[in-house]
Structure formats: structure tokens, C-alpha cells
Amino acid sequence: EADIYQTPRYLVIGTGKKITLECSQTMGHDKMYWYQQDPGMELHLIHYSYGVNSTEKGDLSSESTVSRIRTEHFPLTLESARPSHTSQYLCASMRGGSYEQYFGPGTRLTVT
Amino acid sequence: SQKIEQNSEALNIQEGKTATLTCNYTNYSPAYLQWYRQDPGRGPVFLLLIRENEKEKRKERLKVTFDTTLKQSLFHITASQPADSATYLCALVVSGSARQLTFGSGTQLTVLP
């Protein structure tokens, strides 16, 4: 069982609110990733990080931002939530020298 | 354009049979190909990785083949069980892509008792 955690698991929020999705891993992995996944669809990479103070945008354009101040923590923030942000958000980490990604359980976000 | 295609329809098989899932890709030259399992409401779980210079990889009841000429990977589950019911995702790692994964949309497998 991978030691990567996401909170909250489910979130229903109104349009215009600011939200932060939390992701933490206790494996000491350098690389961390955020994906967005709609039901029955592929995962799309929205942000990634290779280590502390390193963040990059992924292939899918996103209005979210991320930070990596500590190795174990990689939060994702939406400054102003919109209904188009309704989706499942998955966090993952990977050990240096490996290609295997460990995923958290995901946060199911609904913006009304 | 670059594309990853998995079995477009859900796959139903009888318990004990071998399930075969397909992953085809176009306009990629992956250095590695991976298979993940995803259960409803959960994150994907890594199953197997195969390198571009490997033809086949096995792990218990799982077998993966990788044909870079056909641009195809096959994923087999032998002696399938109802507990194998899940969505299976293939993912590509392209050399030089900084270890990013590109995922297919998955194949939903149901093993009937």
C-alpha cells in the first residue's frame, strides 16, 4: 500500500470560492504530480515537481497553481472555483531512478 | 497527432478464462510502457513496466507484450477471477520526456463468476 494521502476525499463548493487540495507522501519521493481525470476518460497531467521549489505546468491547461516547499507536501490551489473545474484530482509521486508512480486516492471536486 | 487507444468497449469474460487487453499508440516512440489497475473512486495502482527492448514481461498471472513495430502492447490476465474486475490503464513514458506518463483512457474489465 502506497503512503500517499489526499484530503479532502470529496468536496462540494460554490462558484468563486478559493480551495486547496492537499497531497502528502511519506516515501521521500522527489517527483510529484497532479492529474485531472473525468469519468471514463484518461488522466491528464496538470502540474509536476522534481523537488523542493521546482514546479512545472503539465500538458493540460489548468487555472490551478501548486507549490513545493517541503518534499512530502504538494498542495494544489484553485483561486476561484468554477463549474468547469468539477472533476477528480489525483496526486502521485515517484522515486528518483524509477518510472513507477504511486497514486493517492483522489479528491472528487464538485463546483456548483 | 499523438494518440493512445485501448479496447474501446468494456470487456466481459468468464471466470477462469484469459483476459486480453490491447493498447495501441500512434506518433509516439515510448522508451517504457506501463500498465495500471484502477478501481472505482480510487487512484491507479502500478502493475507492470516493460522496456522498448523487451518483448514480454510476466508477474504471477499477468503477462505484458510490447511490439514497437506494431506500436502495440497486449496485457493478459490468466485464470481470471471476479476480483480482477477493474479498469486497466496503459501509460507511455517517452524518452526525454522527464519521466512524465501519458495515459490511455482504460479498458473496463468485468470477470463474471
Side-chain angles (χ1 to χ4, degrees):
Chain A
E1 194 76 18
D3 296 322
I4 180 163
Y5 309 98
Q6 291 186 245
T7 57
R9 291 293 315 278
Y10 304 93
L11 180 62
V12 180
I13 199 163
T15 297
K17 300 291 186 184
K18 177 180 178 179
I19 57 170
T20 296
L21 308 185
E22 301 288 348
C23 176
S24 295
Q25 50 96 4
T26 59
M27 297 172 282
H29 290 170
D30 289 334
K31 299 175 180 61
M32 296 189 73
Y33 306 83
W34 275 104
Y35 294 89
Q36 187 174 339
Q37 185 183 32
D38 293 320
M41 302 297 288
E42 59 266 44
L43 282 74
H44 290 287
L45 181 67
I46 50 175
H47 295 282
Y48 59 98
S49 167
Y50 290 149
V52 171
N53 295 324
S54 151
T55 61
E56 301 286 344
K57 287 186 181 293
D59 298 329
L60 182 66
S61 173
S62 172
E63 293 158 344
S64 57
T65 59
V66 292
S67 63
R68 188 90 183 276
I69 298 171
R70 302 196 319 263
T71 297
E72 62 270 22
H73 194 214
F74 190 40
L76 181 145
T77 298
L78 277 167
E79 290 292 334
S80 179
R82 295 213 297 262
S84 60
H85 296 138
T86 295
S87 189
Q88 165 134 308
Y89 292 84
L90 290 160
C91 179
S93 71
M94 184 166 71
R95 178 176 52 85
S98 161
Y99 291 96
E100 173 185 343
Q101 292 194 8
Y102 294 88
F103 284 83
T107 294
R108 170 73 63 188
L109 173 66
T110 302
V111 183
T112 60
Chain B
S1 63
Q2 295 177 320
K3 198 162 47 173
I4 301 171
E5 288 184 330
Q6 298 190 238
N7 302 58
S8 57
E9 301 296 327
L11 184 62
N12 295 334
I13 64 165
Q14 285 298 130
E15 182 175 6
K17 300 292 186 184
T18 296
T20 298
L21 284 63
T22 304
C23 176
N24 294 298
Y25 58 91
T26 55
N27 295 323
Y28 283 106
S29 296
Y32 304 86
L33 188 145
Q34 301 182 13
W35 284 87
Y36 287 78
R37 169 183 172 141
Q38 186 173 26
D39 291 289
R42 307 289 298 270
V45 175
F46 172 81
L47 296 174
L48 280 170
L49 175 150
I50 188 165
R51 293 174 169 76
E52 60 180 335
N53 60 353
E54 296 177 316
K55 295 292 185 188
E56 183 180 297
K57 201 78 167 283
R58 291 175 186 262
K59 179 182 175 183
E60 297 173 353
R61 294 185 295 113
L62 309 180
K63 184 178 84 171
V64 173
T65 63
F66 192 13
D67 189 325
T68 55
T69 301
L70 291 179
K71 295 186 180 299
Q72 181 182 78
S73 174
L74 298 178
F75 177 78
H76 306 273
I77 305 175
T78 58
S80 59
Q81 304 164 0
D84 295 326
S85 299
T87 296
Y88 291 85
L89 310 173
C90 80
L92 306 183
V93 181
V94 176
S95 180
S97 70
R99 298 175 188 258
Q100 295 175 39
L101 296 182
T102 302
F103 284 86
S105 57
T107 298
Q108 186 175 337
L109 172 69
T110 302
V111 181
L112 304 168

